[in-house]
Amino acid sequence: MNNSRIAVLASGTGSNVRAILQAAAAGSCPVETALVLSDKADAGALTIAKEAGVAQVLHITPKDYADRAAFDMACAEVIEAAGCHWVVLAGYMRILSEAFVQRFPQRIINIHPALLPAFPGADGAGDALRYGVKITGCTVHLVDEVLDGGPILAQQAVLVNDDDTRETLLNRLHTAEHQLYPATLARLVEQGFRLEGRRVIWRE
Ligand code: GAR
């Protein structure tokens, strides 16, 4: 399997999908996005992927499957058929079944808009703002069976301003994400890592 081939799973706007595709086109991120898949028919990520000429752009409807496990297995089949080494979650707002996670061990990557392990869950930016932290940021991590709990690949700090709203903070978090996600994918492909317990040690 070609370790530069990625499948991106996204539920929303798709700004991270765009950042990855742009970095790849610019030559700074040596990945080939073979597949973009969404659980939402109206996800902006699908439009962005189509416009960028991604080979396979798919919407799969969860309601067409008996349960989460069946839906996830259908997605896994498509990802494997496309020959993708990495499963890149970019605003994919579904909890993955254990069987899916185990099918791609240490090959599922997620980005989260907070400095994990602080503020896991669906609203990392809003939760950080309400808590009152002065520094937050974004985290790229491996996905394991614990929600937002896998080993950390990279983090970038973002300062919280006194006059921030959730929207202004999210804008700066997105800017950080768009830099950090492609850069981390590049390291995964070019450099690789090993795990020491939970610690990700990048190879020389
Ligand atoms: C990103 O900010 C990402 O960190 C977040 O969803 C957003 C998707 O934006 N993911 C999570 O909160 C996962 N828990 P995008 O659709 O513009 O890439």
Side-chain angles (χ1 to χ4, degrees), residues 10-18 44-45 48 89-93 110-114 119-125 138-139 141 147-148 170 173-174 177-178 181:
S11 304
T13 320
S15 68
N16 280 284
V17 174
R18 179 185 282 119
I48 289 167
L89 309 183
Y92 189 61
M93 300 313 264
N110 184 41
I111 189 152
H112 183 75
F119 312 115
D123 189 16
C138 52
T139 302
H141 65 96
L147 182 67
D148 295 329
L170 258 180
L173 286 167
H174 276 142
E177 290 187 343
H178 300 162
Y181 217 177

Side-chain angles (χ1 to χ4, degrees), residues 68-145:
R68 181 195 308 278
F71 173 79
D72 280 1
M73 280 310 105
C75 295
E77 298 293 338
V78 175
I79 292 165
E80 281 182 354
C84 296
H85 182 82
W86 303 103
V87 180
V88 175
L89 309 183
Y92 189 61
M93 300 313 264
R94 289 178 62 84
I95 293 172
L96 297 171
S97 59
E98 252 181 63
F100 184 93
V101 172
Q102 284 161 9
R103 194 150 161 176
F104 303 99
Q106 292 178 28
R107 292 198 280 132
I108 308 174
I109 318 298
N110 184 41
I111 189 152
H112 183 75
L115 293 177
L116 293 171
F119 312 115
D123 189 16
D127 290 343
L129 189 65
R130 281 184 290 274
Y131 190 91
V133 294
K134 299 298 186 193
I135 301 175
T136 184
C138 52
T139 302
V140 179
H141 65 96
L142 297 172
V143 172
D144 65 12
E145 287 82 356

Side-chain angles (χ1 to χ4, degrees), residues 18-34:
R18 179 185 282 119
I20 292 165
L21 291 168
Q22 284 179 344
S28 59
C29 180
V31 300
E32 185 190 345
T33 304

Side-chain angles (χ1 to χ4, degrees), residues 162-181:
D162 287 352
D163 60 354
D164 262 333
T165 61
R166 183 175 174 279
E167 196 189 0
T168 59
L169 180 58
L170 258 180
N171 282 341
R172 292 203 308 291
L173 286 167
H174 276 142
T175 302
E177 290 187 343
H178 300 162
Q179 193 268 327
L180 189 67
Y181 217 177

